[in-house]
Amino acid sequence: MKTLKAFFCSVAMAFTCFSRVPAPQVEWTPENMRFMMAGFPFIGVVIGLFVWLWSLLCGAASLGPLLAGAGLVLIPAGISGAIHLDGFCDVVDALSSHAAPERKREILKDPHVGAFAPICIASYLILSVAVASELALTPEGVLVFALTFVISRCMSSFCVLGVARSTDQGMLASFQISADKKPAMVLVAVIFIAALGGVAYFSLAAAAALLVVAAAVTLYIIHMARKEFGGWSGDLAGFLLQTLELAFLITLVILQKVMLL
């Protein structure tokens, strides 16, 4: 019973920290944070629900592909409070410095925005909307797309729980220290398998492609994090999530074009 209460508190904390979705306020204690990263993928469920509702509205109102695509991109950013886009910007600025890992970690903490972040985030959003406008809003395509928001958060949770951090300070360090890692990893794995199984129900090709993309992108960014920053951080978790979501979107559009979804 105590563990179940800690789980629900962790889910509430995840929604409070990583979304704009109203959630019960719970005390910020190590006990309540034990399964926080296992609660993180549930935000993807909420995003997926709103993406599905948006697709229904687009069909009912006969909205054009550009407006529909903009909604598919902006809804996730709005629900998450753009917190992961913030991490994306910080990592881009740090990488653009071509400095030593220590200096890059300092740039991640700097609240100021460099020249490269606005350029890259604008490019990222333009490309995302352009690709999303190419996504055919079929029932299968929309539901598979909705599940990608769960998968991306599972991969980010795996890295937060399992990849060595670059510093003992900051929010990510508190998540790792407070986490009940093995049970949390198992819970995330169950959610990941369920989401991927949902994709497989609609398309085995899409499930296989998303699995390959998820593994390839995650392993590359883990390698980059160790080389460029000396370990993992919260900003890198956001960078991974945003990169995965764009990669998944591109993958689904390609699968639709070759009629495998």
Side-chain angles (χ1 to χ4, degrees):
M1 194 69 180
K2 185 178 179 181
T3 300
L4 187 61
K5 179 183 177 182
F7 173 74
F8 284 116
C9 287
S10 294
V11 172
M13 290 184 71
F15 272 88
T16 299
C17 190
F18 299 115
S19 81
R20 294 293 182 89
V21 178
Q25 296 297 310
V26 298
E27 190 177 358
W28 195 274
T29 64
E31 176 66 20
N32 290 339
M33 295 170 64
R34 287 170 57 196
F35 305 106
M36 191 169 175
M37 297 318 301
F40 183 43
F42 288 101
I43 299 172
V45 176
V46 175
I47 291 173
L49 174 62
F50 276 89
V51 163
W52 175 69
L53 291 173
W54 172 252
S55 73
L56 294 180
L57 177 62
C58 290
S62 299
L63 299 182
L66 183 59
L67 181 56
L72 294 178
V73 173
L74 295 178
I75 286 171
I79 292 175
S80 67
I83 187 172
H84 311 301
L85 286 171
D86 176 71
F88 182 89
C89 288
D90 289 342
V91 172
V92 166
D93 268 342
L95 290 174
S96 300
S97 71
H98 300 288
E102 294 80 6
R103 176 55 185 153
K104 288 189 177 77
R105 292 196 293 270
E106 291 176 2
I107 294 172
L108 292 181
K109 298 176 184 177
D110 192 336
H112 299 92
V113 178
F116 292 98
I119 295 170
C120 288
I121 199 63
S123 301
Y124 177 93
L125 291 173
I126 290 170
L127 178 59
S128 295
V129 171
V131 177
S133 68
E134 293 292 323
L135 185 70
L137 298 183
T138 62
E140 297 83 1
V142 171
L143 289 171
V144 168
F145 179 57
L147 287 168
T148 63
F149 296 101
V150 180
I151 296 171
S152 63
R153 281 159 178 77
C154 286
M155 300 307 295
S156 184
S157 293
F158 282 136
C159 290
V160 170
L161 292 168
V163 182
R165 58 186 179 272
S166 61
T167 177
D168 289 331
Q169 298 178 344
M171 190 173 291
L172 181 131
S174 66
F175 292 161
Q176 285 193 341
I177 292 169
S178 302
D180 198 346
K181 289 187 180 181
K182 287 185 179 180
M185 289 280 274
V186 170
L187 285 171
V188 175
V190 169
I191 298 168
F192 176 81
I193 292 170
L196 198 63
V199 174
Y201 176 81
F202 297 106
S203 171
L204 287 174
L210 292 179
L211 181 60
V212 170
V213 170
V217 171
T218 302
L219 289 173
Y220 173 77
I221 293 180
I222 290 173
H223 170 75
M224 179 270 288
R226 289 170 173 164
K227 178 182 177 182
E228 302 290 345
F229 296 92
W232 202 249
S233 72
D235 288 319
L236 283 158
F239 181 83
L240 169 64
L241 189 147
Q242 294 296 159
T243 304
L244 281 173
E245 290 186 354
L246 178 55
F248 288 158
L249 181 57
I250 293 170
T251 301
L252 295 184
V253 170
I254 291 173
L255 288 172
Q256 285 188 335
K257 296 297 184 183
V258 298
M259 292 189 291
L260 290 175
L261 175 62

